[in-house]
Amino acid sequence: MKLEECIKTRRSIRKYKPTKISHEDFQDIIALTLFSPSWKNSQIVRFTLIEDDNIKNKIAETCMSESHHNQSIVHNAPNIIVMSYITGKSGFNSDGSFSTSKEDRWQMFDSGIAASTLCLAAHDKGFGTVIMGLFDDNKVAEIINLPKNQQIAALIPIGLPDITPTCPPRNTSESIITYL
Ligand SMILES: Cc1cc2nc3c(=O)[nH]c(=O)nc-3n(C[C@H](O)[C@H](O)[C@H](O)COP(=O)(O)O)c2cc1C
């Protein structure tokens, strides 16, 4: 797929076929995600692929009580990616102080870039994804026993799409650009 087509046709997928992703396909997608830019090439992002339905359903039941919408997406998805990052590197000086006024927010910035690359790489291989922000990240960290030096950035269900959504409306270029 050409880059322009990949960018334009990627959609958030919230309904999947039951087939789970193979380790080979998942590793191919992550191998591309590794080419994402990051703060001083710190490469802080990490991925946990949830393959066990018991763990997946526990995440849906205990970490998404405030969003039944997200709960049903996770129940339906064959696999969930927990995207996390190593803390204290991106946006930090070597003495541990913040490098900029954005303080520790570059960590989420790096994670966002990687999430975007991942979703495009997955789409190019025929897999659907949806980035999820609405869930209890501390509870997910507890369930998957996340190392203490990491925090969770997002959950990304992944699988073969069972739906072809239309593109939600987008702003026009003219409305968001300022030339000075
Ligand atoms: C940071 C972030 C958090 C999101 N959180 C959720 C979420 O919790 N649940 C959900 O269904 N979609 C979520 N989305 C998906 C957006 O709703 C979706 O990207 C947007 O509506 C545009 O649709 P598209 O991805 O098909 O272009 C999130 C997207 C981003 C980037």
Side-chain angles (χ1 to χ4, degrees), residues 72 82 138 140 158 178:
S72 64
V82 180
N138 291 324
V140 175
I158 186 166
T178 303

Side-chain angles (χ1 to χ4, degrees), residues 79-112:
N79 290 105
I80 309 293
I81 304 166
V82 180
M83 185 181 210
S84 57
Y85 57 83
I86 294 175
T87 54
K89 291 179 188 291
S90 177
F92 289 79
N93 298 318
S94 50
D95 65 0
S97 59
F98 297 126
S99 301
T100 77
S101 61
K102 289 197 168 40
E103 301 190 336
D104 66 353
R105 298 195 288 282
W106 293 109
Q107 301 178 130
M108 284 298 286
F109 193 93
D110 285 359
S111 302

